[in-house]
Amino acid sequence: MNTSAEFTPPMLNGVSASKVFLQPSNAATVYEYLCKQFPHITASEWLSRFQDGLVYDVQGNTLTLDSPFQANSHCFYYRFLAHETHVPFEHQILFQNDHFMVIDKPHFLTMSPTGQYVQETLLVRLKKQTGIEHLTPIHRLDRETAGVVLISKNIASRGLYQQLFATRQVQKTYHAIAGYRDDLKFPHTVRLRMDKGEPFYTMQVLDGEPNSETEITLLTHKDHLAKYELKPHTGKQHQLRVHLNFLGIPILNDPFYPIIKHKADDDFSAPLQLLAKHIEFIDPMSKELMQFSSRQELTL
């Protein structure tokens, strides 16, 4: 038993504990409170967490289903899903130093824990691999997108690297396989106003002042498909996918644009043909030019 008021739960199987503040409530037990406070999580899920010894009080004592509720304190719990679809692709570490890691992310691997993925995420896999609990993505790639992504290893310098992306001091180059139209002239710069679409996880194009910009170059083409180099100058959600779709050349295997096509979670047969191929920036710590390229290739 840990009687320290400063108890910090250890990482378990790559998963960090979540901390919950217990607000005043008429709940008799912590279990009852958590069921009421998080109605989107089933009572059976909370039941198994308590039975598996995955809920702790602030002193580090394991809580049971009968542990009495105490308002204005904290508890910790670990999130493990009973059923997760295994993603049968592996990441590669391309580079690392004291401050960050450069990862070559495969298609279909979500960056961080979400509703349906915990173990099958890049971040938890990396935490298990390295034993470093405070790893944090410096920027993000969609689950469907593969390629180069940076992960912070150092809490003290994390903000400096995040600031590079926020202030657009990072040059990112993507490759995409998409439709080919001989009436389109390249290189071509697309500037559009983008905002949240319907359903909420998509984006739409609106009239008005552009807030997104991508420079597009044709690399090669064959029949009705082509390979493009994309250089985004802004970082809107789904920007590259929306911009190519706007030109009438949607990215091959895009499940959202131009129409939403829902796939089974365990269908890995047709990855989105979008790859974060190259990244470069001036390192804020060493002041050196850093350049990294994915070892993956998209082919026609």
Side-chain angles (χ1 to χ4, degrees), residues 85-86 88 117 143 263-269:
T85 302
H86 174 59
Y117 297 104
R143 173 179 182 261
K263 292 170 61 174
D265 286 342
D266 59 354
D267 182 355
F268 303 110
S269 60

Side-chain angles (χ1 to χ4, degrees), residues 231-247:
K231 294 195 173 185
H233 298 305
T234 52
K236 288 290 178 189
Q237 180 185 352
H238 295 175
Q239 175 174 316
L240 304 177
R241 299 159 69 168
V242 170
H243 281 196
L244 286 178
N245 184 57
F246 179 81
L247 294 178

Side-chain angles (χ1 to χ4, degrees), residues 273-291:
Q273 292 298 285
L274 181 61
L275 174 68
K277 183 62 183 174
H278 185 79
I279 199 165
E280 65 178 76
F281 56 91
I282 302 295
D283 190 310
M285 301 298 293
S286 69
K287 309 303 179 189
E288 294 176 13
L289 175 64
M290 308 297 273
Q291 303 185 70

Side-chain angles (χ1 to χ4, degrees), residues 1-209:
M1 183 191 297
N2 186 337
T3 56
S4 166
E6 294 297 309
F7 170 69
T8 303
M11 184 168 65
L12 276 187
N13 210 16
V15 176
S16 303
S18 300
K19 185 177 183 179
V20 180
F21 178 69
L22 304 179
Q23 302 175 26
S25 165
N26 60 4
T29 62
V30 178
Y31 169 68
E32 183 187 345
Y33 175 85
L34 292 172
C35 289
K36 286 181 176 177
Q37 190 69 14
F38 301 101
H40 60 285
I41 300 172
T42 63
S44 62
E45 180 74 32
W46 284 116
L47 179 68
S48 63
R49 288 174 184 171
F50 277 87
Q51 289 175 337
D52 292 341
L54 297 175
V55 188
Y56 296 83
D57 68 10
V58 285
Q59 279 82 38
N61 302 307
T62 306
L63 296 178
T64 68
L65 292 170
D66 303 322
S67 295
F69 175 80
Q70 288 183 297
N72 301 313
S73 61
H74 292 88
C75 74
F76 300 95
Y77 72 91
Y78 290 94
R79 207 166 145 250
F80 293 99
L81 301 181
H83 303 288
E84 270 188 78
T85 302
H86 174 59
V87 179
F89 308 106
E90 296 299 325
H91 63 274
Q92 277 192 299
I93 298 176
L94 299 175
F95 171 87
Q96 60 177 316
N97 59 20
D98 291 342
H99 298 282
F100 64 91
M101 315 172 75
V102 182
I103 308 299
D104 207 350
K105 183 184 94 66
H107 293 284
F108 299 111
L109 191 63
T110 301
M111 289 285 300
S112 303
T114 61
Q116 62 194 121
Y117 297 104
V118 176
Q119 291 296 312
E120 296 295 322
T121 61
L122 178 63
L123 194 59
V124 171
R125 285 185 180 185
L126 285 169
K127 286 182 176 183
K128 286 165 69 173
Q129 181 181 357
T130 64
I132 303 172
E133 185 169 1
H134 55 259
L135 294 179
T136 305
I138 296 172
H139 63 120
R140 294 183 180 274
L141 293 177
D142 295 339
R143 173 179 182 261
E144 296 92 353
T145 306
V148 179
V149 66
L150 267 62
I151 305 287
S152 167
K153 290 174 66 178
N154 187 313
I155 296 170
S157 62
R158 179 185 302 160
L160 291 174
Y161 291 93
Q162 289 173 331
Q163 190 67 13
L164 285 181
F165 286 85
T167 54
R168 299 177 192 164
Q169 296 181 64
V170 179
Q171 284 73 54
K172 292 182 274 188
T173 303
Y174 291 76
H175 285 175
I177 305 292
Y180 173 69
R181 286 176 48 184
D182 57 12
D183 59 326
L184 290 176
K185 297 288 178 276
F186 294 96
H188 182 82
T189 300
V190 178
R191 297 181 183 89
L192 297 172
R193 180 157 199 85
M194 292 175 56
D195 207 343
K196 284 289 185 187
E198 192 59 51
F200 68 91
Y201 50 80
T202 62
M203 298 291 282
Q204 63 177 327
V205 176
L206 300 172
D207 292 332
E209 183 74 21

Side-chain angles (χ1 to χ4, degrees), residues 202-219:
T202 62
M203 298 291 282
Q204 63 177 327
V205 176
L206 300 172
D207 292 332
E209 183 74 21
N211 59 2
S212 63
E213 180 177 316
T214 307
E215 184 184 327
I216 306 171
T217 304
L218 175 66
L219 295 177

Side-chain angles (χ1 to χ4, degrees), residues 244-259:
L244 286 178
N245 184 57
F246 179 81
L247 294 178
I249 48 172
I251 297 177
L252 192 63
N253 302 333
D254 194 326
F256 293 166
Y257 310 97
I259 56 171

